[in-house]
Amino acid sequence: MDVRPKTIFCDIDGTLVKHAAPSIAASPNHKMELLSGTLKKLLEWDKKGYYIILTTGRKESLRNITEKQLSEVGIFYDQLVMGIGGGVRYLINDKKPEGTEAAFSICLDRDNGISNLNI
Protein backbone atom coordinates (compact mmCIF):
# COMPACT_ATOMS: atom_id res chain seq x y z
CA MET A 1 0.00 0.00 0.00
CA ASP A 2 1.28 3.43 -0.97
CA VAL A 3 1.71 5.63 2.11
CA ARG A 4 2.87 8.76 0.30
CA PRO A 5 0.62 11.81 0.77
CA LYS A 6 -2.21 12.33 -1.66
CA THR A 7 -2.32 15.29 -4.02
CA ILE A 8 -5.59 17.20 -4.28
CA PHE A 9 -6.25 19.27 -7.43
CA CYS A 10 -9.12 21.57 -6.53
CA ASP A 11 -10.88 24.25 -8.56
CA ILE A 12 -11.57 27.55 -6.81
CA ASP A 13 -14.71 29.26 -8.15
CA GLY A 14 -17.88 27.25 -7.57
CA THR A 15 -15.94 24.63 -5.58
CA LEU A 16 -14.28 26.41 -2.64
CA VAL A 17 -16.00 29.79 -2.99
CA LYS A 18 -19.27 30.91 -4.49
CA HIS A 19 -18.95 31.21 -8.26
CA ALA A 20 -18.74 34.75 -9.59
CA ALA A 21 -18.72 35.88 -13.21
CA PRO A 22 -15.13 36.29 -14.46
CA SER A 23 -15.57 40.06 -14.82
CA ILE A 24 -16.58 40.30 -11.14
CA ALA A 25 -13.98 37.82 -9.85
CA ALA A 26 -11.24 39.81 -11.63
CA SER A 27 -12.02 42.97 -9.66
CA PRO A 28 -9.42 43.85 -7.01
CA ASN A 29 -12.33 44.79 -4.71
CA HIS A 30 -14.16 41.46 -5.11
CA LYS A 31 -14.42 39.52 -1.85
CA MET A 32 -14.73 35.78 -2.25
CA GLU A 33 -17.62 34.10 -0.41
CA LEU A 34 -16.51 30.85 1.21
CA LEU A 35 -18.73 27.84 0.67
CA SER A 36 -19.75 25.96 3.80
CA GLY A 37 -17.05 23.66 5.14
CA THR A 38 -14.26 24.86 2.83
CA LEU A 39 -11.72 25.80 5.49
CA LYS A 40 -12.56 22.78 7.66
CA LYS A 41 -11.96 20.41 4.74
CA LEU A 42 -8.72 22.16 3.72
CA LEU A 43 -7.48 21.90 7.31
CA GLU A 44 -8.41 18.20 7.38
CA TRP A 45 -6.42 17.57 4.20
CA ASP A 46 -3.51 19.64 5.47
CA LYS A 47 -3.37 17.67 8.73
CA LYS A 48 -3.25 14.46 6.69
CA GLY A 49 -0.24 15.87 4.85
CA TYR A 50 -2.01 16.16 1.49
CA TYR A 51 -0.46 18.40 -1.15
CA ILE A 52 -3.15 20.94 -2.14
CA ILE A 53 -3.01 22.38 -5.66
CA LEU A 54 -5.63 24.97 -6.49
CA THR A 55 -6.62 25.28 -10.14
CA THR A 56 -8.50 28.02 -11.92
CA GLY A 57 -9.45 29.27 -15.33
CA ARG A 58 -8.61 32.79 -14.15
CA LYS A 59 -5.94 34.42 -16.30
CA GLU A 60 -2.33 34.34 -15.10
CA SER A 61 -2.38 38.16 -15.21
CA LEU A 62 -4.85 38.00 -12.27
CA ARG A 63 -2.46 36.04 -10.03
CA ASN A 64 -1.80 38.86 -7.53
CA ILE A 65 -5.51 39.69 -7.22
CA THR A 66 -6.44 36.01 -6.84
CA GLU A 67 -3.75 35.34 -4.23
CA LYS A 68 -4.95 38.37 -2.24
CA GLN A 69 -8.60 37.25 -2.45
CA LEU A 70 -7.70 33.72 -1.32
CA SER A 71 -5.65 35.05 1.58
CA GLU A 72 -8.43 37.40 2.71
CA VAL A 73 -10.84 34.46 3.21
CA GLY A 74 -8.20 32.19 4.77
CA ILE A 75 -7.75 29.73 1.90
CA PHE A 76 -4.28 28.21 1.91
CA TYR A 77 -2.62 25.88 -0.57
CA ASP A 78 0.70 24.48 -1.72
CA GLN A 79 0.48 25.57 -5.34
CA LEU A 80 -1.79 27.70 -7.52
CA VAL A 81 -2.17 26.80 -11.20
CA MET A 82 -3.85 29.54 -13.22
CA GLY A 83 -5.06 30.05 -16.76
CA ILE A 84 -6.24 26.50 -17.44
CA GLY A 85 -9.39 27.71 -19.16
CA GLY A 86 -13.02 27.11 -18.40
CA GLY A 87 -13.56 24.09 -20.63
CA VAL A 88 -13.76 20.42 -19.70
CA ARG A 89 -10.67 19.19 -17.82
CA TYR A 90 -9.17 15.71 -17.87
CA LEU A 91 -6.81 14.20 -15.30
CA ILE A 92 -4.60 11.57 -16.91
CA ASN A 93 -2.19 9.40 -14.96
CA ASP A 94 -0.71 5.91 -15.11
CA LYS A 95 -1.60 3.00 -12.85
CA LYS A 96 0.83 1.71 -10.23
CA PRO A 97 2.77 -1.43 -11.32
CA GLU A 98 0.43 -3.65 -9.29
CA GLY A 99 -2.59 -2.12 -11.05
CA THR A 100 -3.74 0.40 -8.43
CA GLU A 101 -5.42 3.40 -10.04
CA ALA A 102 -3.47 6.56 -9.29
CA ALA A 103 -5.92 9.26 -10.39
CA PHE A 104 -9.59 9.99 -9.81
CA SER A 105 -12.01 12.73 -10.81
CA ILE A 106 -14.87 14.12 -8.75
CA CYS A 107 -17.37 16.55 -10.29
CA LEU A 108 -19.42 18.55 -7.81
CA ASP A 109 -22.51 20.63 -8.37
CA ARG A 110 -21.54 24.30 -8.57
CA ASP A 111 -21.53 26.16 -5.25
CA ASN A 112 -22.23 23.01 -3.16
CA GLY A 113 -18.71 22.94 -1.71
CA ILE A 114 -16.32 20.19 -0.66
CA SER A 115 -17.46 19.52 2.90
CA ASN A 116 -18.97 16.11 2.10
CA LEU A 117 -15.95 14.72 0.27
CA ASN A 118 -14.28 11.70 1.86
CA ILE A 119 -10.78 11.56 0.42
Side-chain angles (χ1 to χ4, degrees):
M1 181 173 179
D2 194 346
V3 295
R4 293 176 286 188
K6 294 176 182 175
T7 299
I8 305 289
F9 291 88
C10 191
D11 186 47
I12 298 171
D13 297 297
T15 306
L16 300 179
V17 298
K18 187 171 181 182
H19 188 271
S23 58
I24 294 171
S27 169
N29 298 322
H30 172 67
K31 180 159 176 74
M32 292 178 165
E33 182 182 335
L34 281 173
L35 293 174
S36 178
T38 293
L39 294 181
K40 182 177 179 183
K41 186 57 70 172
L42 289 173
L43 282 168
E44 175 187 318
W45 290 340
D46 187 58
K47 286 180 183 176
K48 290 180 178 180
Y50 294 0
Y51 191 77
I52 301 169
I53 301 174
L54 300 186
T55 61
T56 184
R58 293 177 182 212
K59 296 181 181 302
E60 181 64 38
S61 60
L62 298 173
R63 178 171 290 275
N64 290 340
I65 291 170
T66 302
E67 288 174 339
K68 180 178 179 272
Q69 291 171 344
L70 291 166
S71 176
E72 286 174 348
V73 294
I75 293 178
F76 56 92
Y77 51 91
D78 294 294
Q79 189 174 347
L80 174 60
V81 179
M82 300 192 65
I84 62 172
V88 176
R89 299 165 186 171
Y90 295 91
L91 175 58
I92 302 171
N93 204 3
D94 64 329
K95 292 181 181 180
K96 300 293 182 185
E98 71 281 356
T100 303
E101 292 185 357
F104 302 93
S105 170
I106 300 169
C107 291
L108 304 172
D109 290 333
R110 180 171 281 175
D111 293 338
N112 278 351
I114 59 174
S115 63
N116 293 324
L117 291 178
N118 187 17
I119 300 174

